Amino acid sequence: MSLDPKIAGTVHVVDDDKAYLQSLLGLMKSVGYRAEGHANAVDFLREWRPGDAGCVITDMRMPQMSGIELLQHLRHDGMDIPVILVSAYATVAAGVRAMKLGALDFLEKPVDEQTLLDLVNKAVKYEWLRRTNQAKRDLLQDRLGLLSDRERQVLRSILGGLPNRDIAHLMGISPKTVDTYRSRILDKTGTGRMDVLCREIQEYQIIICNDPAA
């Protein structure tokens, strides 16, 4: 299933072959993607807005900076945008190197249009899901920061599998007070159910500290 192009971000095409660049831009736009062309990797880095959603299709051999060097630059700077490399001079060694650097795929020119479109769809879906999950994690982290020290202690105990009675004994409070803390935790995090909250904390690998700033 294709991702709605309205939320897919921008497909950036980087190629010093003007005719091929225009061809790929036309292909992307024909299926509804927003697409931007860049004559070389240096231009792309100057024109690209880091943080924008989407993906990159880049030629392997270009003046000033190769596609591999562009991929290295992005990964070195912590940019996880999906990258698809294409080349008329594809070799096994180049493909292996590209994949080790985190390329989504490495295609030989002339590329099969449907294969490329399938890869772009895969790339933008991956990027959208990654960003969506990061946004959800950040929101949950912010809400967990609203918990008091005692509420965090209760939550850590729940995550550790302790029943209310044991939590009450550990904290020197009544089971009814534990229930009150549980309700406050759910209210502040907006999750509604403790099992859902615990699953999200584990899924997003969030550590519940005494000090929310820690």
Side-chain angles (χ1 to χ4, degrees):
M1 182 178 179
S2 297
L3 188 67
D4 184 345
K6 294 183 179 65
I7 60 174
T10 302
V11 179
H12 295 272
V13 183
V14 187
D15 203 307
D16 60 326
D17 183 332
K18 187 174 181 179
Y20 195 76
L21 175 65
Q22 293 303 318
S23 174
L24 289 189
L25 288 174
L27 175 63
M28 295 302 123
K29 291 177 180 178
S30 72
V31 294
Y33 287 118
R34 292 193 301 272
E36 293 182 8
H38 312 272
N40 54 63
V42 174
D43 283 355
F44 165 75
L45 291 173
R46 182 171 57 247
E47 297 162 0
W48 179 55
R49 297 167 295 278
D52 282 1
C55 70
V56 178
I57 304 170
T58 179
D59 188 29
M60 179 76 167
R61 290 191 178 184
M62 294 179 291
Q64 301 183 67
M65 180 184 290
S66 71
I68 285 286
E69 290 170 334
L70 171 58
L71 177 58
Q72 285 179 310
H73 182 92
L74 291 170
R75 297 300 180 255
H76 180 268
D77 286 355
M79 302 300 178
D80 291 328
I81 186 169
V83 176
I84 301 166
L85 282 114
V86 297
S87 178
Y89 309 95
T91 65
V92 173
V96 169
R97 187 181 178 198
M99 300 305 284
K100 283 184 176 180
L101 287 170
L104 181 65
D105 213 327
F106 185 81
L107 302 178
E108 185 174 2
K109 289 182 177 180
V111 300
D112 176 76
E113 290 187 353
Q114 190 57 54
T115 297
L116 182 59
L117 288 174
D118 288 344
L119 278 173
V120 168
N121 186 53
K122 178 181 178 180
V124 296
K125 280 201 293 187
Y126 164 82
E127 178 72 351
W128 180 76
L129 287 171
R130 185 184 70 81
R131 288 169 175 271
T132 299
N133 286 337
Q134 184 61 50
K136 289 180 178 178
R137 186 187 190 281
D138 291 345
L139 177 60
L140 180 57
Q141 187 89 58
D142 289 343
R143 289 177 172 175
L144 289 169
L146 300 174
L147 302 182
S148 68
D149 287 343
R150 297 291 270 178
E151 288 162 353
R152 281 192 293 277
Q153 187 177 355
V154 168
L155 181 54
R156 283 200 308 275
S157 298
I158 294 171
L159 288 166
L162 294 182
N164 275 17
R165 182 177 57 188
D166 291 350
I167 297 173
H169 178 73
L170 178 67
M171 297 179 63
I173 57 179
S174 69
K176 185 175 181 180
T177 302
V178 175
D179 282 334
T180 299
Y181 281 132
R182 290 174 69 107
S183 295
R184 290 176 182 173
I185 291 167
L186 294 179
D187 287 343
K188 289 182 179 180
T189 57
T191 47
R193 286 173 45 187
M194 188 58 70
D195 61 327
V196 172
L197 175 59
C198 291
R199 185 170 65 248
E200 290 181 349
I201 289 172
Q202 292 168 348
E203 179 182 345
Y204 298 136
Q205 299 181 332
I206 296 174
I207 298 174
I208 309 300
C209 304
N210 278 331
D211 180 356

